[in-house]
């Protein structure tokens, strides 16, 4: 409709003056609204005219003084792209005219054999077809741009033989192949052999049961490296055949990070399990030594005194009395041994008393170490059994670390309960260490594990030569909630 309102501008390229005049008069006899008709007799003049102005349609004779045959159309096509061309051909030029149409001309008319109505129809249809071609071309260009510049990897493959039919630029960058190399491959070539059977199952599903599928797949790039892709695929028709368009996001870094985290988690669990086994073995060794070297000797002495009492009537009372004292000593040693195995922080026992008792026992054999305590816990009623046990074990573990490594002369232990938070601080004036370096032992790791188990936070502050400070915080409400969970799953608790 726009062309009808503005009027047509027509260019006739014809070297025969009679044919020029006849075509021009016939055009004027149509119902077309024509603003101007311009005639030239060479392809050179035609090129100049199309550079100066836009024409609605061009009539072209293929045989001109400066050009002939298909070359005439080729030269004109180089300087116009959106203007429709109708070939004006002699009867003997019909085959050449048809070939010109295959190259992009809209129509052809045989000179002297067309009517005014046919001429009008050819003009209207030629313009409409050209406009339709331009729309299709524009649409294809937009599709091609979106396809090639999509940040996701896209490839199209045949459902029949898995042959790769098309890929975008992102795919070329990800896999490292050129486009020519890619189009020589099948989907099987970029997948590990172990996935071929599963790929066949997915292809069968796309052929028969489903129009789309998705999942995470392993692929192999040009370097032979494994990459992980989250792929969504759906059926399409491409170049007249059934095919699949697959859109893939590269998740290799995410998968490798997950695998590394799982590996580290497994390693940490193995280290903890090993530490538990070692601790159990040490505990059994300690028990065996105490029972054999200490308690057994005391009871053996008591037995010896009883034998003397039985054989010597005069000293019987004295020997029985002495034997009784040895048995009392054995009972006391057993009580002490039991106390080391079952700390008073369990059950309803007082946490602060248990900690103080541990400190007193240490002082008996480490007189040179000075302890400073600051206990501010008005009531332990708000502390769960597992929280008290965790704090007690953390103190034991850190004291063990200090005596093993720190060479400290002063140790400060602070336990405070305020604003719903239980705060534990253990500080020493020992040799300290570089916290940026990975520790070989698992003492600190056990502390962090115990803290995390009840959703607490732990922090180590230390420098070489400046001692060490352990800061642990528990939210009482959160710890209670975690205790309830652990009560339902007791296997997760590490005493």
């Amino acid at each position: 409709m726009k062309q009808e309102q503005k009027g047509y501008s027509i260019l006739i390229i014809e070297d025969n003056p009679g044919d020029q005049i006849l075509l021009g008069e016939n055009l004027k006899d149509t119902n077309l609204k024509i603003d101007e008709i311009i005639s030239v007799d060479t392809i050179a003049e035609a090129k100049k005219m199309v550079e100066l102005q836009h024409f609605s349609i061009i009539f072209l004779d293929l045989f001109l003084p400066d050009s002939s045959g298909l070359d005439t159309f080729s030269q004109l096509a180089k300087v116009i792209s959106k203007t429709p061309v109708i070939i004006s051909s002699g009867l003997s030029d019909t085959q050449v005219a048809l070939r010109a149409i295959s190259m992009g001309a809209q129509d052809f008319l045989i000179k002297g054999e067309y009517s005014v109505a046919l001429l009008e129809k050819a003009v209207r249809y030629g313009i409409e077809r050209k406009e339709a071609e331009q729309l299709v071309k524009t649409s294809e260009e937009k599709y091609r741009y979106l396809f090639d510049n999509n940040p996701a990897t896209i490839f199209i493959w045949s459902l029949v033989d898995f042959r790769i039919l098309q890929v975008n630029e992102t795919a070329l960058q990800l896999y490292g192949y050129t486009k020519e190399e890619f189009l020589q491959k099948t989907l099987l070539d970029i997948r590990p052999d172990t996935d071929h059977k599963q790929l066949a199952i997915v292809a069968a599903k796309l052929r028969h049961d489903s129009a789309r599928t998705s999942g995470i797949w392993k692929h192999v790039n040009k370097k032979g490296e494994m990459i992980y892709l989250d792929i969504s695929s759906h059926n399409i028709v491409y170049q007249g055949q059934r095919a699949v368009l697959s859109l893939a996001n590269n998740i290799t870094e995410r998968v490798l990070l997950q695998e590394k985290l799982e590996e580290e988690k497994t390693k940490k669990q193995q280290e903890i399990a090993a530490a538990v086994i070692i601790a159990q073995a040490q505990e059994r060794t300690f028990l065996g030594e105490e029972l054999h070297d200490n308690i057994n000797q005391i009871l053996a002495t008591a037995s010896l005194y009883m034998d003397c009492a039985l054989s010597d009537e005069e000293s019987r009372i004295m020997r029985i009395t002495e034997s009784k004292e040895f048995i009392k000593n054995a009972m006391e040693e057993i009580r002490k041994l039991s106390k080391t195995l079952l700390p008073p922080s369990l059950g309803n026992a007082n946490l602060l008393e248990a900690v103080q008792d541990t400190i007193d026992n240490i002082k008996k054999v480490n007189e040179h170490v000075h302890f400073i305590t600051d206990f501010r816990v008005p009531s332990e009623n708000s502390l769960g059994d597992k929280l008290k046990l965790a704090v007690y074990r953390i103190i034991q573990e850190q004291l063990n670390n200090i005596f093993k490594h720190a060479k400290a002369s002063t140790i400060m232990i602070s336990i405070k309960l305020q604003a719903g938070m239980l705060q534990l601080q253990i500080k020493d004036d020992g040799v300290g260490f570089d916290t940026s370096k990975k520790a070989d032992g698992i003492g600190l790791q056990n502390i962090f594990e115990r803290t995390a188990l009840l959703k607490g936070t732990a922090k180590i502050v230390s420098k070489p030569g400046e001692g060490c400070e352990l800061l642990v915080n528990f939210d009482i409400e959160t710890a209670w909630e975690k205790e309830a969970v652990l009560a339902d799953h007791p296997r997760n608790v590490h005493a």
Side-chain angles (χ1 to χ4, degrees):
M1 293 299 293
K2 279 187 174 183
Q3 288 286 5
E4 283 290 324
Q5 292 170 359
K6 291 182 179 179
Y8 291 108
S9 175
I10 300 174
L11 175 63
I12 298 174
I13 308 172
E14 173 63 67
D15 63 332
N16 187 315
D19 289 337
Q20 281 184 4
I21 294 171
L22 180 61
L23 180 55
E25 292 299 322
N26 286 333
L27 285 168
K28 291 175 183 178
D29 288 341
T30 65
N31 293 319
L32 298 170
K33 183 180 178 182
I34 298 174
D35 287 346
E36 65 176 341
I37 298 175
I38 296 176
S39 298
V40 296
D41 56 11
T42 66
I43 195 67
E45 290 180 274
K47 289 180 182 179
K48 292 177 182 179
M49 290 303 302
V50 297
E51 289 176 359
L52 294 174
Q53 71 178 88
H54 171 72
F55 290 95
S56 306
I57 195 163
I58 297 174
F59 286 89
L60 174 65
D61 181 8
L62 293 174
F63 294 90
L64 302 172
D66 57 348
S67 181
S68 63
L70 293 175
D71 183 59
T72 305
F73 178 75
S74 296
Q75 289 191 55
L76 182 63
K78 291 178 181 178
V79 293
I80 61 166
S81 59
K82 298 181 180 180
T83 305
V85 176
I86 295 177
I87 305 299
S88 178
S89 172
L91 187 60
S92 60
D93 307 329
T94 302
Q95 293 301 318
V96 179
L98 289 172
R99 290 180 62 189
I101 289 176
S102 69
M103 294 169 62
Q106 300 304 309
D107 203 348
F108 81 95
L109 298 174
I110 298 176
K111 294 179 181 180
E113 293 191 6
Y114 57 82
S115 64
V116 172
L118 180 61
L119 181 61
E120 179 179 337
K121 183 178 179 181
V123 171
R124 292 187 188 276
Y125 283 8
I127 293 173
E128 289 177 3
R129 280 195 293 269
K130 192 65 177 180
E131 288 177 349
E133 283 181 8
Q134 287 301 119
L135 287 174
V136 171
K137 184 178 180 181
T138 300
S139 177
E140 288 179 349
E141 288 174 352
K142 288 181 179 178
Y143 163 78
R144 173 54 60 184
Y145 179 83
L146 292 173
F147 184 86
D148 282 337
N149 294 280
N150 197 304
T153 297
I154 303 176
F155 44 90
I156 299 173
W157 51 280
S158 169
L159 260 176
V160 177
D161 55 9
F162 301 119
R163 186 164 48 89
I164 296 174
L165 306 174
Q166 191 58 267
V167 293
N168 69 346
E169 290 297 323
T170 308
L172 302 182
Q173 295 172 13
L174 177 63
Y175 289 87
Y177 292 110
T178 65
K179 193 166 189 177
E180 291 72 20
E181 289 174 329
F182 232 133
L183 298 183
Q184 296 298 316
K185 295 185 175 296
T186 71
L187 211 58
L188 300 173
D189 296 327
I190 60 173
R191 303 232 182 178
D193 295 343
T194 53
D195 281 4
H196 288 185
K197 185 176 180 180
Q198 185 63 27
L199 177 60
I201 294 172
V202 170
K205 184 177 180 181
L206 286 168
R207 290 190 197 101
H208 305 294
D209 303 328
S210 176
R212 65 176 61 244
T213 184
S214 61
I216 295 175
W217 292 86
K218 298 177 193 175
H219 280 203
V220 181
N221 64 15
K222 188 175 182 178
K223 294 179 180 179
E225 299 168 336
M226 195 74 72
I227 54 179
Y228 295 84
L229 301 173
D230 187 355
I231 304 176
S232 296
S233 302
H234 63 272
N235 291 328
I236 63 169
V237 176
Y238 182 77
Q239 295 180 347
Q241 64 175 302
R242 291 189 65 189
V244 176
L245 186 145
S246 293
L247 188 146
N249 291 312
N250 184 9
I251 59 169
T252 304
E253 289 187 6
R254 190 179 79 190
V255 171
L256 294 179
L257 178 59
Q258 288 175 340
E259 289 180 352
K260 185 177 180 181
L261 290 174
E262 286 297 323
E263 183 180 338
E264 290 179 353
K265 183 179 178 181
T266 301
K267 184 179 179 181
K268 184 175 290 186
Q269 290 173 341
Q270 291 172 344
E271 289 176 351
I272 293 173
V276 170
I277 293 171
I278 292 171
Q280 289 175 341
Q282 291 174 341
E283 191 172 59
R284 292 191 184 99
T285 301
F286 169 72
L287 281 172
E289 290 174 350
E290 284 294 307
L291 290 171
H292 180 271
D293 298 340
N294 185 19
I295 298 172
N296 184 59
Q297 295 302 320
I298 294 173
L299 292 174
T301 303
S303 177
L304 181 62
Y305 273 66
M306 289 296 291
D307 289 339
C308 291
L310 291 172
S311 60
D312 188 352
E313 187 174 348
E314 292 182 3
S315 62
R316 180 174 298 166
I317 300 300
M318 183 180 65
R319 298 304 181 199
I320 291 175
T321 301
E322 290 173 343
S323 178
K324 183 178 179 181
E325 286 300 317
F326 280 115
I327 293 173
K328 284 175 63 178
N329 289 339
M331 292 172 63
E332 180 63 23
E333 290 298 321
I334 291 173
R335 187 190 69 82
K336 290 180 180 178
L337 185 60
S338 299
K339 199 172 184 180
T340 64
L341 300 175
L342 192 64
S345 56
L346 294 174
N348 296 320
N350 189 295
L351 169 64
L352 302 185
E353 290 178 358
V355 174
Q356 188 61 56
D357 190 47
T358 298
I359 293 172
D360 292 341
N361 288 333
I362 292 174
K363 285 181 178 180
K364 292 178 182 179
V365 293
N366 291 280
E367 296 178 353
H368 67 284
V369 178
H370 177 57
F371 280 89
I372 301 172
T373 58
D374 182 13
F375 299 158
R376 302 184 199 178
V377 183
S379 172
E380 294 187 20
N381 294 334
S382 60
L383 307 181
D385 292 341
K386 291 181 177 60
L387 177 57
K388 290 192 287 184
L389 177 58
V391 173
Y392 184 83
R393 289 299 196 195
I394 289 170
I395 292 172
Q396 282 186 317
E397 190 72 63
Q398 185 60 3
L399 289 176
N400 182 56
N401 291 338
I402 291 171
F403 284 107
K404 187 182 292 185
H405 306 291
K407 302 177 182 178
S409 59
T410 301
I411 301 172
M412 190 274 285
I413 301 177
S414 170
I415 305 175
K416 299 178 183 178
L417 177 60
Q418 55 186 15
M421 296 292 294
L422 183 66
Q423 302 171 335
L424 168 64
Q425 179 187 25
I426 304 175
K427 188 173 183 179
D428 68 75
D429 61 353
V431 297
F433 62 96
D434 186 351
T435 57
S436 65
K437 294 182 178 179
K438 184 176 180 181
D440 294 331
I442 62 171
L444 291 179
Q445 181 176 312
N446 284 341
I447 289 174
F448 282 101
E449 287 285 341
R450 291 184 184 278
T451 304
L453 192 62
L454 293 175
K455 299 295 183 181
T457 60
K459 179 182 179 183
I460 289 286
V461 180
S462 183
K463 290 182 179 179
E466 298 183 15
C468 177
E469 182 179 17
L470 170 65
L471 300 168
V472 181
N473 290 282
F474 292 100
D475 184 302
I476 301 301
E477 184 176 348
T478 303
W480 269 111
E481 292 174 356
K482 188 61 179 176
E483 282 208 26
V485 174
L486 293 175
D488 293 333
H489 304 279
R491 286 175 296 176
N492 293 332
V493 180
H494 302 289

